[in-house]
Amino acid sequence: MLGLITGSGFYSLPGLANAVDRDVETPYGTVSLVHGSWKGCPVVFLPRHGADHSVPPQRIPYRANLWALAEAGARAVFATAVSGGINPEYRNGELVLIDQFINFTHGREDTFFDEEVRHTDMTEPYDRYLRQVLSETATSEAIELVDGGVYLCANGPRFETPAEIRMYAGFGGDLVGMTGYPEVVLARELDLPYAAVGVVSNPAAGMGSEELSLDDIMAVLDEAAEPLLRLLGGAAELLARRWA
């Protein structure tokens, strides 16, 4: 079974067959998951902000979400990461196969190991095999996909200042978002293979000539939906064949 976590602008999964809502009880709270079949692959779907986009990034129950996916039987997770583009070469709607992250959040519950000392290796935080599956799918489907990018996670819910973006660029950030951490770390702690596709919704603050407009961002996400869903759907189909 494949876990799918989506963010802003992606609150449903078109073409999901035999969809059933199920609540999963975890030590960190109850999580509502949608089970079904997508592109011939059994999936469990989770919009991280809720189906009505009511949960802000700093309040997302990350530990409960990842625990619930593992409990539901997910063998791997694909996630989307709507992001501002720090890398000046990125254009709106660009899809980026993230390979590293930098954490600038604070106050988030970001480990399952509160009561013991456990040091989790983060040399390769995003699963190599899943990244390869996405890359192969992009090639076969003629989808433009940037192979590799550094995702910097800010706390939100506000957008960043141009000064912060200049600092993040100096640290090597290519993308800035608010939800990719601690998701990737928690998946790693659970030995749950995880890969994320960054979706560039806008130039990060100071990288463009205009102030950020939510309407403009949503318009970009609408345009990006078709190639993104084709990428994830093709990768799900490929995994289903290999898992059979």
Side-chain angles (χ1 to χ4, degrees):
M1 182 179 292
L2 174 66
L4 291 166
I5 304 176
T6 58
S8 298
F10 305 100
Y11 312 118
S12 63
L13 202 57
L16 181 65
N18 304 315
V20 177
D21 294 339
R22 294 178 184 166
D23 287 343
V24 179
E25 300 293 335
T26 81
Y28 311 100
T30 303
V31 178
S32 181
L33 301 175
V34 182
H35 289 246
S37 177
W38 194 48
K39 308 297 183 182
C41 182
V43 300
V44 56
F45 173 62
L46 173 62
R48 65 167 74 85
H49 292 286
D52 58 353
H53 197 82
S54 61
V55 185
Q58 77 280 11
R59 297 294 185 190
I60 292 171
Y62 295 100
R63 292 195 296 183
N65 286 351
L66 271 298
W67 190 281
L69 289 174
E71 186 73 15
R75 298 170 59 180
V77 173
F78 287 145
T80 66
V82 174
S83 310
I86 298 175
N87 190 321
E89 296 184 3
Y90 291 172
R91 67 185 189 283
N92 286 353
E94 194 96 67
L95 302 182
V96 181
L97 190 53
I98 299 168
D99 64 349
Q100 289 290 318
F101 73 85
I102 300 171
N103 173 38
F104 259 82
T105 67
H106 54 82
R108 298 187 183 186
E109 295 176 323
D110 59 358
T111 182
F112 292 112
F113 302 118
D114 286 328
E115 305 300 328
E116 61 179 290
V117 177
R118 180 75 66 90
H119 300 301
T120 304
D121 179 72
M122 283 291 142
T123 304
E124 198 168 8
Y126 301 90
D127 186 76
R128 179 183 299 182
Y129 176 68
L130 294 183
R131 293 181 67 250
Q132 182 61 36
V133 168
L134 288 163
S135 182
E136 290 178 18
T137 301
T139 299
S140 66
E141 294 288 334
I143 298 169
E144 291 188 31
L145 179 66
V146 177
D147 190 2
V150 178
Y151 174 92
L152 191 142
C153 195
N155 211 58
R158 67 169 177 83
F159 286 126
E160 303 74 32
T161 68
E164 287 172 322
I165 294 300
R166 289 194 297 271
M167 178 179 67
Y168 298 161
F171 290 154
D174 293 304
L175 301 163
V176 61
M178 303 176 189
T179 56
Y181 182 92
E183 233 173 54
V184 57
V185 170
L186 295 171
R188 186 78 169 175
E189 289 187 348
L190 291 172
D191 292 323
L192 183 58
Y194 175 100
V197 178
V199 184
V200 179
S201 61
N202 56 276
M207 301 299 294
S209 58
E210 300 177 358
E211 291 187 5
L212 301 182
S213 161
L214 185 57
D215 288 341
D216 290 341
I217 289 172
M218 297 310 296
V220 171
L221 295 180
D222 286 344
E223 289 289 327
E226 189 277 331
L228 175 65
L229 292 174
R230 191 153 47 91
L231 174 66
L232 295 176
E237 189 174 8
L238 181 56
L239 281 176
R241 292 199 303 267
R242 293 182 177 178
W243 286 343

